[in-house]
Amino acid sequence: VSDLVRTAAGFPYAQPIPVNDINDCYYYHTMDVPGHGVVAGQWDLRGKVDEYLGGVSVKEKRVLDIGTASGFLAFEMETRGAEVVGYDLSENFSWDIVPFAGNDIAAYTAQRREQIQHLNKSWWFNRAALDSHARVVYGTVYDIPAAIGPVDVCIFGSILLHVRDPFMALEQVCKLRPQTIVVAEPYPPRSLRSFVTGGRWRRTPAFVPDWRTKQPVETWWSFNPRSVENMLRILGFETVRVVNHAPPFYGKPIPMFTVVAERVAE
Ligand SMILES: C[S@@+](CC[C@H](N)C(=O)[O-])C[C@H]1O[C@@H](n2cnc3c(N)ncnc32)[C@H](O)[C@@H]1O
């Protein structure tokens, strides 16, 4: 429905999805949901927002949270005084699945679309429970509608690794004229370190899919701070900070970095 609204009226925001049952929701983020206590998700960013966002102040800023998932960051930023627009896939859009020859790509895509529905529902469930006014737009990172209008800050939290064309994703948000872009990514795992270091970090990301193992199917790239900075610099953004942190994924700390970049005066 949201997509129809978008094309019909040039109004990009999704219509609220009423969700009555929390069991219909897929939680990506662990959240404190009023009336439901702590709801466990894959990642627990509670108490870690400052480092995850690289210490960016969002007070009185208009923020686009790209790949908003269950919305933990979106709702936290709203609490800190931001006007937040979430952005994510819906069931009408596909994940960039790695098309390993011989794999049933259609089955992966269908499975993902099914899961996204429940992920989107968690966002709306949280929005109602937290009495939030945040809005959301559905689409792919390759087609971010200009109708969202100007934003001050764009957050790319753990999304660039999952998209086939991360540079295009960054380039797309530039049409919304952000002053600040925040990119949070996991550090390369030990097995890929040799591709991305050479005494110091290389400027190139590692291409992760491996034809021998046919894994992973949903991750394309492994970045380091320098490779993220290079892409942002090409687009006219200069790094002001790189923050290291290690939020827990199912309880296990995962080394990550956050690059905060500001638009260079033209
Ligand atoms: C790993 S989660 C990160 C969630 C959150 N940003 C964070 O940092 O905690 C990736 C998110 O990006 C979304 N996503 C993946 N591929 C996308 C694409 N091609 N276009 C838009 N969103 C995408 C997923 O649906 C999911 O919500």
Side-chain angles (χ1 to χ4, degrees):
V1 173
S2 57
D3 313 320
L4 294 178
V5 169
R6 171 169 149 183
T7 24
F11 180 77
Y13 305 103
Q15 296 296 300
I17 302 173
V19 189
N20 300 320
D21 186 356
I22 196 167
N23 295 311
D24 212 12
C25 300
Y26 169 70
Y27 272 78
Y28 173 87
H29 296 115
T30 296
M31 308 265 304
D32 294 305
V33 185
H36 296 271
V38 177
V39 181
Q42 296 179 11
W43 289 85
D44 189 357
L45 304 182
R46 291 175 305 157
K48 303 186 177 327
V49 175
D50 286 326
E51 50 196 35
Y52 198 86
L53 298 181
V56 157
S57 168
V58 293
K59 189 161 185 234
E60 289 167 19
K61 298 278 167 67
R62 189 159 196 258
V63 183
L64 187 66
D65 180 30
I66 302 182
T68 188
S70 299
F72 176 76
L73 294 171
F75 303 125
E76 279 287 317
M77 291 191 288
E78 188 180 27
T79 305
R80 291 159 188 232
E83 181 204 330
V84 181
V85 178
Y87 194 82
D88 213 327
L89 299 170
S90 71
E91 62 190 301
N92 300 323
F93 301 94
S94 299
W95 264 77
D96 292 352
I97 300 291
V98 182
F100 287 112
N103 272 4
D104 186 349
I105 310 303
Y108 277 114
T109 303
Q111 200 182 58
R112 268 280 150 197
R113 284 185 185 219
E114 163 74 19
Q115 195 189 43
I116 289 281
Q117 269 189 52
H118 299 288
L119 181 68
N120 295 158
K121 283 182 177 172
S122 72
W123 194 93
W124 287 105
F125 194 85
N126 291 329
R127 181 183 189 268
L130 296 165
D131 214 9
S132 158
H133 294 94
R135 293 182 291 181
V136 73
V137 177
Y138 292 129
T140 72
V141 281
Y142 307 121
D143 188 20
I144 296 178
I148 291 173
V151 297
D152 300 301
V153 183
C154 273
I155 312 288
F156 285 89
S158 300
I159 180 165
L160 294 184
L161 74 163
H162 293 301
V163 298
R164 178 197 290 249
D165 190 339
F167 184 78
M168 189 174 175
L170 292 172
E171 193 182 7
Q172 275 284 306
V173 301
C174 290
K175 67 186 173 200
L176 306 182
R177 308 296 293 159
Q179 176 60 31
T180 308
I181 295 183
V182 177
V183 175
E185 285 286 314
Y187 270 107
R190 207 179 292 274
S191 58
L192 289 172
R193 282 289 160 89
S194 59
F195 292 99
V196 286
T197 60
R200 64 195 197 112
W201 295 114
R202 288 186 208 274
R203 203 177 61 218
T204 45
F207 183 76
V208 183
D210 185 334
W211 69 273
R212 292 163 303 189
T213 58
K214 290 195 172 181
Q215 290 290 335
V217 293
E218 292 168 359
T219 298
W220 294 79
W221 306 101
S222 184
F223 297 95
N224 62 56
R226 194 168 173 230
S227 57
V228 169
E229 284 178 64
N230 184 50
M231 291 191 293
L232 289 169
R233 197 69 224 225
I234 291 169
L235 293 167
F237 290 79
E238 193 169 40
T239 303
V240 291
R241 236 174 356 266
V242 178
V243 175
N244 292 325
H245 48 105
F249 174 71
Y250 291 116
K252 181 180 174 237
I254 304 293
M256 293 189 66
F257 63 90
T258 294
V259 174
V260 178
E262 298 279 337
R263 181 201 300 280
V264 179
E266 283 159 12

